[in-house]
């Protein structure tokens, strides 16, 4: 037996054609003027006059599915509210077709709002995490307290070592400065001593306050002994540098080893050089002391004047001894080490 025969329950095949008004099989037609379902049964005898009435123009719409089942849509009004049905209708009184659509719309709206809220929450969480990451050191933030104490101890020890290095460098700097100052002072002292020795040795020119002593003979020339006595008196009075000049402007530097000899025609030989009178000695030292030393009774001035000569003094605020002596090369003497 086929499925259609089973569904009708009559054993007869369902005739092909448009579905009967009245809905699914086994349900009565809700229309008031609908014929009795038993009358439409193929088992019921029908005369030639009894034809199946044609459905009116306002016949309700019927939808059929793929499995052959039909659904009556006449119970739904255009506004989406279920229409009134008769008392014998088996269809439920209310079919929530439109409310289901409205609930689905509200569900879609709630889902979109929920997604927006979730996205905003994720964005805020990301910003907060980023701010915390940039504002704090992640390494120190994740370090334990024991590790932080150890790091602090290492920093203190490093600071102490650096302080010790600074103090050592400062001590070295002070020593270097002290040694440099000592070396500079020794160098200055050596330079000063060299200058003094150079002046005494006649290898360096000299300037300073002093005297000019002029010897002039009248009838008797000035002897070498009178000049030597004058040089000795001046040295004893503190003369530091001397030179002797002749009338011919020849000049000789007088040092410790200088010697004087009488020359021809009243000349004077000094260090092998001949000088003609009158003779002038330029000396650097205290003018008053040296003048007093030459004017002592029985001294140089008295002896020259006793021989008929004359001695003239001239004080100089700045006396210049410019003549130089050739350095003496020592052959035997050596400094004591």
């Amino acid at each position: 037996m086929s499925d259609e025969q089973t569904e009708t329950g009559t054993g007869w095949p369902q005739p092909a054609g448009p579905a009967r008004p009245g809905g699914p099989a086994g349900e009565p037609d809700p229309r008031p003027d609908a014929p009795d379902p038993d009358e439409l049964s193929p088992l019921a005898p029908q005369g030639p006059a009894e034809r199946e009435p044609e459905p009116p123009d306002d016949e309700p719409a019927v939808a059929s599915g793929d499995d052959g089942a039909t659904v009556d849509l006449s119970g739904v009004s255009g506004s989406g509210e279920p229409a009134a049905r008769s008392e014998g209708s088996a269809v439920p009184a209310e079919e929530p077709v439109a409310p289901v659509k409205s609930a689905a719309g509200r569900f879609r709206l709630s889902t979109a709002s929920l997604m927006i809220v979730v996205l905003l929450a994720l964005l805020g969480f990301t910003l907060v995490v980023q701010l915390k990451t940039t504002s704090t050191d992640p390494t120190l933030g994740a370090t334990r307290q024991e590790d932080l104490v150890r790091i602090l101890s290492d920093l203190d020890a490093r600071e102490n070592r650096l302080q010790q290095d600074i103090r050592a460098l400062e001590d070295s700097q002070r020593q270097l400065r002290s040694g440099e100052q000592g070396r500079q002072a020794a160098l200055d002292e050596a330079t000063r001593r060299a200058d003094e020795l150079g002046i005494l040795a006649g290898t360096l020119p000299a300037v300073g306050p002093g005297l000019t002593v002029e010897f002039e003979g009248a009838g008797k020339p000035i002897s070498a002994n009178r000049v030597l006595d004058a040089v000795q008196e001046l040295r004893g009075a503190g003369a530091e540098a001397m030179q002797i000049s002749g009338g011919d402007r020849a000049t000789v530097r007088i040092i410790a080893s200088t010697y004087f000899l009488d020359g021809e025609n009243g000349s004077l030989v000094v260090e092998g050089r001949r000088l003609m009178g009158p003779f002038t000695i330029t000396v650097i030292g205290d003018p008053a002391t040296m003048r007093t030393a030459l004017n002592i009774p029985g001294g140089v001035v008295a002896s020259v004047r006793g021989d008929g000569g004359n001695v003239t003094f001239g004080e100089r605020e700045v006396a210049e001894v410019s003549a130089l002596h050739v350095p003496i090369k020592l052959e035997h003497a050596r400094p004591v080490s």
Side-chain angles (χ1 to χ4, degrees), residues 78-105:
S79 62
E81 299 294 333
R85 297 182 181 271
S86 61
E87 295 179 357
S89 176
V91 179
E94 295 183 358
E95 294 181 359
V97 177
V100 169
K101 294 182 180 180
S102 177

Side-chain angles (χ1 to χ4, degrees), residues 152-190:
L152 182 59
S153 178
D154 294 340
L155 292 176
D156 292 338
R158 183 179 301 177
E159 182 181 2
N160 293 332
R161 290 194 299 269
L162 291 176
Q163 292 293 338
Q164 292 177 359
D165 294 341
I166 291 174
R167 287 192 293 268
L169 291 174
E170 289 178 349
D171 294 338
S172 300
Q173 185 180 13
R174 283 192 296 268
Q175 292 176 1
L176 291 174
R177 287 181 177 177
S178 177
E180 182 180 359
Q181 291 176 357
R183 288 191 298 270
Q184 185 64 35
L187 180 60
D188 295 340
E189 180 65 18

Side-chain angles (χ1 to χ4, degrees), residues 193-214:
R193 294 293 298 172
D195 293 339
E196 292 179 354
L197 293 175
I199 293 173
L200 294 176
T203 58
L204 294 176
V207 293
L211 288 174
T212 59
V213 181
E214 183 178 355

Side-chain angles (χ1 to χ4, degrees), residues 22 33 39 71 131 140 159 171 199 228 324 327 333:
D33 55 346
E39 295 178 358
V71 178
L131 289 176
L140 295 179
E159 182 181 2
D171 294 338
I199 293 173
L228 180 57
L324 298 180

Side-chain angles (χ1 to χ4, degrees), residues 22 41 46 77 100 121 158 164 184 192 209 211 224 239 265 300:
S41 175
Q46 296 182 1
S77 63
V100 169
R158 183 179 301 177
Q164 292 177 359
Q184 185 64 35
R192 185 182 65 83
L211 288 174
N265 301 323
V300 176

